[in-house]
Amino acid sequence: MEVDKIRVSIGSASVLGLYEGTHFKDPPTTCYIMTYQQGRCIANCGFCPQARDALSSLELLSRVTWPVYNFKEVLTKLNYLPPKKKFKRICIQTLNYAENFHDLVYIVSHIRKMSNIPISIAIPPFSEERLNELKHIGVERVGIALDASTKEIFNSIKGKDANGPYRWESHFKSLESALKIFSKGKVSTHLIVGLGETSKDVLELIEKLNIMTITIGLFSFTPIKGTRLENLEKPNLLKFRKIQLALYLIINEKRKLKDFTFNMDGEIVKFNLFKSDLLRIIQDTDVFLTTGCPGCNRPYYTSKPSGPIYNFPRKLTQEEINEAYNSLLEYFN
């Protein structure tokens, strides 16, 4: 059965020439598309507008709008994009519903026939047989989102206590299966800061995932009207900056938990580094940019363009560098 319709993030639709409206100052470097079905996802994640019990608009995923387009038209637009607009990656968000695997295979196969752009997929847990098929037809990277940093929060946000289909253990099992099939560094997960975890909880999981060679996309919680967690506040920006910095240090500079000092509440009160290290990292690296697959910048996925910006989709300005440096200075020697 053919796939006729597909959702496209409004930023990606703008680059493709499918949407004419608001000017996007920071266009996406990845083309974000999402499987389409008339109803809601069968999962029930408390933060998600697509959740089974959510009352949010079905056009939303996080705070981004995803209009519906004809799939063949999207393929044509992708095929004829001028070189200067060409995406670095295509990322397919896969909702959980009965026909999702069939639809995903159809979409990937048809994209691969006309494009060699690397394809990432964000999926619910699939069997090894299905993961093998997805790799065989041309998927380069696979993402399976944990979102929560502890088993208890996972259970309450998207697991049994949320009346959802997911379980912490089966998510990890699926991530391990994906690693066997797609190889090290080709498997990713998302973690959301602001669901009730401590910074130490997040960093302990980051350290574990890094040892497993799983790539981490770190995001701040964003309350969306109509979701179960619509009244939960966004995390403190400084807390998020410290976790971003710690993530960078663990992954890129091989730091361990012992290199961070935590208070009794599990929050970072000291980085066992010098202020010169902080300045070097902020000036010379992408520490505060969107993390995840190569070529992914997800502009304003969890932040309004007016700010505050949690994950930057571009290089920081000098003013933004100074602001980040001054906010973190007291936590260094």
Side-chain angles (χ1 to χ4, degrees):
M1 189 167 61
E2 290 188 358
V3 171
D4 295 324
K5 297 178 180 180
I6 196 164
R7 291 191 182 275
V8 182
S9 77
I10 200 162
S12 301
S14 177
V15 174
L16 288 167
L18 292 165
Y19 173 82
E20 294 182 8
T22 306
H23 171 70
F24 291 87
K25 181 181 176 183
D26 299 300
T29 48
T30 285
C31 181
Y32 302 103
I33 60 180
M34 180 163 58
T35 57
Y36 172 82
Q37 68 155 350
Q38 284 188 317
R40 293 190 172 275
C41 183
I42 65 172
N44 207 28
C45 305
F47 52 82
C48 185
Q50 296 289 326
R52 188 178 68 248
D53 291 342
L55 301 175
S56 314
S57 166
L58 280 170
E59 283 209 337
L60 291 175
L61 186 65
S62 189
R63 59 176 303 278
V64 176
T65 302
W66 300 66
V68 178
Y69 294 99
N70 178 276
F71 180 49
K72 288 182 180 177
E73 185 181 6
V74 173
L75 283 175
T76 301
K77 293 289 189 180
L78 266 173
N79 196 30
Y80 289 102
L81 266 183
K84 67 178 182 179
K85 284 190 171 184
K86 187 176 180 182
F87 292 106
K88 296 178 181 178
R89 177 170 299 278
I90 296 169
C91 184
I92 307 168
Q93 315 294 304
T94 312
L95 299 179
N96 197 338
Y97 56 100
E99 302 83 16
N100 66 352
F101 181 71
H102 165 273
D103 290 355
L104 183 57
V105 168
Y106 187 96
I107 292 165
V108 171
S109 300
H110 281 73
I111 292 174
R112 190 45 74 233
K113 286 176 184 177
M114 47 71 66
S115 173
N116 61 359
I117 299 174
I119 296 175
S120 293
I121 55 173
I123 59 171
F126 281 154
S127 66
E128 287 194 16
E129 181 183 5
R130 288 186 166 188
L131 290 171
N132 267 311
E133 183 173 347
L134 289 165
K135 183 179 182 183
H136 178 71
I137 63 174
V139 171
E140 188 216 19
R141 305 177 69 98
V142 59
I144 302 164
L146 288 168
D147 297 314
S149 294
T150 70
K151 180 178 179 179
E152 293 73 24
I153 295 173
F154 182 99
N155 187 44
S156 67
I157 297 297
K158 58 192 291 179
K160 185 177 180 181
D161 288 351
N163 197 21
Y166 302 136
R167 300 295 181 267
W168 179 259
E169 292 82 5
S170 58
H171 260 58
F172 265 99
K173 185 177 178 181
S174 192
L175 284 166
E176 290 166 353
S177 295
L179 277 171
K180 288 192 291 183
I181 294 162
F182 285 86
S183 77
K184 294 180 178 180
K186 300 289 187 180
V187 178
S188 63
T189 194
H190 286 174
L191 299 181
I192 299 174
V193 174
L195 297 176
E197 72 294 317
T198 68
S199 296
K200 190 173 184 181
D201 290 332
V202 184
L203 298 190
E204 285 175 344
L205 183 55
I206 286 172
E207 193 169 63
K208 176 179 178 177
L209 292 168
N210 187 49
I211 291 169
M212 293 173 69
T213 71
I214 292 174
T215 301
I216 298 158
L218 187 72
F219 296 96
S220 63
F221 168 74
T222 302
I224 305 295
K225 187 176 181 180
T227 63
R228 183 160 50 89
L229 298 181
E230 66 177 347
N231 295 318
L232 186 64
E233 292 185 1
K234 285 182 73 70
N236 175 273
L237 180 61
L238 179 57
K239 172 179 176 173
F240 190 73
R241 286 280 179 264
K242 288 192 281 185
I243 294 173
Q244 283 177 304
L245 181 56
L247 169 73
Y248 173 85
L249 290 166
I250 290 169
I251 292 173
N252 296 284
E253 301 201 357
K254 312 305 178 189
R255 298 287 180 170
K256 305 293 183 185
L257 284 184
K258 64 180 177 61
D259 293 307
F260 314 105
T261 302
F262 301 91
N263 63 16
M264 294 295 288
D265 295 323
E267 299 306 321
I268 302 170
V269 292
K270 200 75 175 176
F271 291 84
N272 298 324
L273 297 163
F274 295 105
K275 293 172 183 176
S276 56
D277 294 314
L278 173 63
L279 186 60
R280 169 184 59 80
I281 292 167
I282 296 177
Q283 285 186 331
D284 300 342
T285 77
D286 294 338
V287 60
F288 299 132
L289 272 61
T290 300
T291 52
C293 297
C296 175
N297 67 338
R298 283 187 185 260
Y300 310 110
Y301 187 64
T302 57
S303 306
K304 294 180 180 179
S306 59
I309 299 174
Y310 285 74
N311 290 316
F312 284 91
R314 49 158 178 81
K315 294 286 187 182
L316 278 66
T317 65
Q318 189 58 52
E319 182 180 351
E320 289 163 344
I321 289 172
N322 294 341
E323 185 179 322
Y325 176 74
N326 290 331
S327 71
L328 292 163
L329 199 55
E330 65 179 286
Y331 302 99
F332 284 76
N333 295 318

